[in-house]
Structure formats: C-alpha cells, structure tokens
Amino acid sequence: MARTEGSDGRDGKAAAGTSSADRRTRVTVLVALGANLLIAVAKAVGGLLTGSPALLSEAAHSVADSLNEVFLLAALRRSRRPADRRHPFGYGKERFFWSLLAAVGIFVMGGCFSFFQGVEAFRSDAEESFGGYVAGLVVLGVALLAEGASLGRAVHQARGESAKGTGAAGALRDPALRTVIAEDGTAVLGVTLAIVGMALHMVTGQVVWEASASLAIGVLLVCVAFWLGQDARAQLIGEAADPEVSREVRDLLAAQPEIDSVEALFTMKMGLDSTLVAARIDLVPGLDSERVEEVAVRIKRAVVDAVPEVGEIFLDVTDAAAKEAAQSPAATGERGGA
C-alpha cells in the first residue's frame, strides 16, 4: 500500500475571489452593526421611558445582534490566517466557531430576555400608562426601516453571489452572511410583532397583547438561534462536503484511466472555500513506483482544477482485495462517508 502527499488546492484566482467576497461580507456586517447600535440605543431609551415590555425585548434583541456582528467581524479576520505548524489545515473553522457564539448570543441575550419581559408583563398589576407610547411606535417604525435596509443589503449580496454561479444554496454557505440575513430577517419580524403588540395594547388597554408579542419575539429568537447553532455545530464537528461536490470528485477519479476503482472517498469541510478529500483507490496493474507517483500528482492536479472547493487531497493507493475497506460504513456512505 502506498500513500501520496496532500495537495494544496488554492490558487491565486480562487484566493482573490474569496478575498473579494470577504470584503463584501465585511461591508454587509458593518452596515448591520451600525444599524443595530443606533436602533438598540433608541429602543432602550424608548423602552425605559414607556415601560413597554415589547420595546425592551426589542432593545435586548438589537444589543444581541450588535454583539453578534462583532463576533462575525472577528470570524472574517481570524479565519483567513495562513496555515501554520499548530494548524496545518488553516483556520477556516474559526468562521463556524464565531457563528456558534453568535447563535448563543441570540439565544441568551435576545430570546431569554424577551421571555423574561413577557412573563413580567403578565404578572404585573401596575396601572397602565400610555405616556410616550406614540414615541415608542415611532422608534419602532424607524427601526423597521433601518432593519429592512440592512436586510436588503444582505439579500442583495446573496443574490449577487448566486448570479455568479454558486447557486442559491452556495450563496448562503458563508456563515457570516447567513447569520446577518437570519438576524435582520428576525429583526424585521420582531419589530413588526412589537408594533402590533403595542398598538393593540393602546387600543384595548390590555397588556396581554404586548406581553404576548414579547413572548412571540422570544420564541422567534430561540428558533433562529437553534437553527444557526445546529449548522455551526455540524461544521465544527466535521461535516462532509455537499453531495454534488463528493459526487463530482468521485466521478472524476473513476474516470481516470489509471484508476481501476475508487474503494472509498472521505470529505470534510475545512472552511468556507476549502474541502479536504481523502480517497482510497486501486490502480490498474502494471504501474511501477515512479509511474504511480507521476499518476498521483496528475490526478490530484486534475481534481483541484476541476473542483475549486478542494483545498487538500490525499490519495491512498491500495489493493482492491482489501475488502474490509470497501465494506466499512464510511466507505459505503452509511454513516459519515461521502
């Protein structure tokens, strides 16, 4: 059995394209951060003046979003550090780690505080006063416009990435962009719920409407946090490449004249634009050791050129008679295999 060295799949063109996408994402995150900071201050002041639980819940939501944008900026910067001795495959998974922290921030600072405000409003027996509620509704109206503008910017970038050929799913593979869209979309829905709750409270004089709106905002934030956290967790554990990528790599290897069969194929996402590939292959008979090395280099180059997402590729040249490899769950794709 022979093993060949790994191959680095990043070229200058791919790196330049990724850097350009990162700059666009950074601008999108900065726009969202600026909007959320201003909105958080306005909501907090309005909530304290009016005592509105829905408005205070939205203030906590905006504070959580602002902190999360800081996490995402850190992810964009740290994930692009070059590989070193301690991290030979690079720092691409930093992106997923900071996205996980952002999800935790949405859950703790946004969802839990919203639940607290809703429960407290239900338990409160204080005399209702609507002083300043009109100003609060104005604050929420402005927040709705600002959040909508930030969401529009993020969606516009996602559509731009899709138009370049990555596809709708590929356009949202960046966890930073995906998180901004999720946050801004949730913010628009949350502000709408807060406006409806406050308006119904003013019309009916019943705090149950506003308390319900606060609880609904909490449920919304917890659901979004769970979705983002599940995605980040899967990536940190070591998720296989998309089925289309795995299929393309397998077909490309099987089409090589020197390869008799592909016994097993393993893939794992190492970052936003880097996928590790390890393949166990059986070569046709009659190749000497020097010819095997030449073939391996050519095959790896062909895979890298055809599938830009491949960052590292390792080929394990083995004998097809080793049936235990072909019958393992990973080789057959039953559990974790590509």
Side-chain angles (χ1 to χ4, degrees), residues 137-152:
L137 289 173
V138 171
V139 169
L140 288 176
V142 173
L144 186 61
L145 293 176
E147 297 286 9
S150 179
L151 176 62

Side-chain angles (χ1 to χ4, degrees), residues 11-313:
D11 56 22
K13 183 177 180 181
T18 300
S19 177
S20 176
D22 271 4
R23 282 195 295 270
R24 291 191 296 271
T25 300
R26 186 176 293 108
V27 171
T28 298
V29 174
L30 287 172
V31 169
L33 176 60
N36 280 317
L37 285 174
L38 292 175
I39 293 168
V41 173
K43 288 177 180 176
V45 172
L48 292 174
L49 290 177
T50 63
S52 166
L55 196 51
L56 288 173
S57 296
E58 273 302 301
H61 181 186
S62 293
V63 170
D65 284 352
S66 299
L67 182 60
N68 292 338
E69 259 91 57
V70 175
F71 288 158
L72 296 180
L73 289 173
L76 290 172
R77 181 177 62 85
R78 296 176 65 87
S79 65
R80 287 304 166 194
R81 288 183 295 172
D84 53 35
R85 182 175 298 179
R86 287 178 60 86
H87 298 87
F89 292 105
Y91 290 81
K93 289 195 174 185
E94 286 261 18
R95 227 167 178 114
F96 309 129
F97 169 74
W98 290 99
S99 295
L100 179 61
L101 290 187
V104 173
I106 293 174
F107 177 83
V108 175
M109 297 184 63
C112 293
F113 187 79
S114 295
F115 279 125
F116 172 77
Q117 284 296 319
V119 172
E120 283 296 302
F122 273 118
R123 295 174 54 190
S124 176
D125 294 326
E127 193 69 27
E128 298 299 331
S129 173
F130 300 113
Y133 260 52
V134 173
L137 289 173
V138 171
V139 169
L140 288 176
V142 173
L144 186 61
L145 293 176
E147 297 286 9
S150 179
L151 176 62
R153 159 77 197 188
V155 171
H156 176 73
Q157 181 184 341
R159 286 179 175 173
E161 298 296 328
S162 178
K164 292 177 182 178
T166 58
L172 290 180
R173 66 194 178 107
D174 185 346
L177 181 58
R178 185 168 58 246
T179 301
V180 170
I181 291 178
E183 285 181 351
D184 288 344
T186 304
V188 169
L189 290 176
V191 170
T192 302
L193 288 171
I195 290 175
V196 172
M198 288 181 67
L200 289 175
H201 184 188
M202 292 179 66
V203 171
T204 65
Q206 308 235 346
V207 73
V208 64
W209 294 108
E210 202 167 347
S212 298
S214 187
L215 291 177
I217 292 170
V219 171
L220 183 64
L221 292 175
V222 168
C223 290
V224 171
F226 180 79
W227 173 65
L228 291 174
Q230 281 285 91
D231 185 72
R233 171 181 173 274
Q235 301 283 12
L236 286 172
I237 291 174
E239 189 175 50
D242 296 332
E244 309 84 58
V245 174
S246 297
R247 191 179 306 110
E248 187 176 359
V249 172
R250 180 181 287 275
D251 291 344
L252 187 61
L253 290 174
Q256 302 302 312
E258 297 88 356
I259 295 181
D260 192 36
S261 64
V262 179
E263 299 299 312
L265 179 67
F266 308 90
T267 62
M268 183 169 65
K269 294 179 182 178
M270 301 302 296
L272 178 61
D273 59 347
S274 178
T275 298
L276 183 146
V277 173
R280 187 174 293 128
I281 59 175
D282 179 40
L283 297 179
V284 296
L287 297 178
D288 58 32
S289 58
E290 291 187 4
R291 178 63 176 155
V292 167
E293 291 295 329
E294 294 175 1
V295 167
V297 171
R298 185 189 62 75
I299 291 175
K300 289 186 291 186
R301 186 172 298 137
V303 172
V304 166
D305 290 342
V307 189
E309 290 186 32
V310 174
E312 297 281 349
I313 177 169

